[in-house]
Amino acid sequence: MTRRYLIVGPPGVGKGTQADLIATEFGIPHVSTGAMLREHVARGTELGIKAKSTMDAGNLVPDDLVVAMLAERIAMDDARDGFILDGFPRNLAQANALDDLLAGGLDLVIALSVSDEEVLRRITGRRSCANGHVYHVTDNPPKVAGICDVDGFELFQRSDDTDEVVTNRLAVYRASTAPLLDYYARIVADVDGLGTVEQVRSRVFEVIGS
Ligand code: AP5
């Protein structure tokens, strides 16, 4: 049985948080194109240099760059029996490219939603470490303020987490990514993203189990 899942939803809805829980539960990789791109930016690779200004503005990195990066990742051994995709595909061109890469397609699309107000509240309170561990200042705080529980690194705010950029990311989501919900209509499960991480987790695992 393969577990080829996609988690989709607006910026800050909790995709990465829930994808980590799914990955741990089923022993499949959490494949986040946003995290992969941020790693390229941090390492100063050619891809990172090309992507940085686009990401800082909250726009989509060109499809050819992202598709090549994703294709390489899901061809790795640990993704043979499945993966949880987070942040890819983000438009119809990327969905078509994924169809070409995957015989049999995806098994399930988990569509998370919350209001724009909650998106802003979650994103402005988000703190991350250099290894991608994510916290929220009030809802999911680290044990020691400003320090990652897992690796002791200092926590920081993402450069694309300002009010202005989040507003653009929401607009990009509506224009380019939300139409994927129709594209995948046959395998979409809608999940209310409001509530604690644990409450949302229960809903997510219910749709995976069904
Ligand atoms: P990406 O990293 O994919 O960003 P995003 O989609 O905007 O999503 P976020 O990472 O902001 O949020 P999330 O939904 O994962 O929420 P999280 O779990 O962290 O993309 C960034 C950029 O990279 C894009 O703008 C683009 O430029 C580029 N890019 C990436 N993929 C691309 C692609 N395929 N094509 C082209 N360009 C691409 O949670 C948010 C906060 O809320 C955290 O603080 C968390 O602790 C908290 N939280 C989570 N759940 C709850 C809860 N239930 N209750 C309260 N707080 C919660």
Side-chain angles (χ1 to χ4, degrees):
M1 174 192 182
T2 59
R3 292 187 181 275
R4 291 170 167 173
Y5 302 144
L6 161 65
I7 191 157
V8 68
V13 71
K15 300 182 296 294
T17 302
Q18 295 298 326
D20 266 346
L21 297 171
I22 294 168
T24 303
E25 175 72 19
F26 298 115
I28 53 176
H30 171 188
V31 177
S32 159
T33 45
M36 292 163 77
L37 287 166
R38 280 187 288 281
E39 200 186 316
H40 277 278
V41 171
R43 283 171 31 221
T45 66
E46 197 184 329
L47 171 55
I49 291 164
K50 282 183 186 159
K52 184 172 179 359
S53 58
T54 310
M55 293 174 75
D56 282 346
N59 293 318
L60 295 184
V61 173
D63 293 338
D64 55 335
L65 301 180
V66 181
V67 169
M69 182 183 75
L70 187 278
E72 199 178 310
R73 180 63 189 90
I74 63 173
M76 289 182 182
D77 266 4
D78 66 342
R80 202 180 40 238
D81 297 328
F83 42 73
I84 170 78
L85 294 181
D86 162 13
F88 184 98
R90 237 170 167 105
N91 58 27
L92 287 170
Q94 293 183 12
N96 288 327
L98 183 63
D99 285 345
D100 292 341
L101 291 170
L102 282 186
L106 294 170
D107 299 311
L108 179 70
V109 174
I110 301 155
L112 279 183
S113 57
V114 295
S115 65
D116 289 1
E117 293 71 32
E118 179 66 5
V119 158
L120 271 173
R121 197 191 68 78
R122 288 185 184 183
I123 286 191
T124 50
R126 171 166 51 197
R127 300 292 181 272
S128 317
C129 86
N131 282 334
H133 300 115
V134 173
Y135 301 84
H136 188 276
V137 286
T138 55
D139 297 18
N140 178 25
K143 292 190 182 89
V144 178
I147 302 293
C148 179
D149 293 347
V150 182
D151 47 36
F153 286 172
E154 203 170 326
L155 302 179
F156 60 88
Q157 246 184 316
R158 269 169 48 178
S159 54
D160 60 346
D161 278 354
T162 62
D163 279 9
E164 195 190 5
V165 177
V166 173
T167 302
N168 186 46
R169 284 161 63 196
L170 277 167
V172 170
Y173 172 77
R174 288 206 180 89
S176 302
T177 311
L180 293 181
L181 299 176
D182 284 337
Y183 183 82
Y184 288 121
R186 207 177 45 81
I187 52 167
V188 167
D190 290 311
V191 174
D192 179 2
L194 198 61
T196 63
V197 170
E198 188 47 44
Q199 285 168 333
V200 179
R201 178 190 186 279
S202 300
R203 291 177 207 138
V204 165
F205 280 81
E206 205 176 306
V207 300
I208 290 177
S210 62

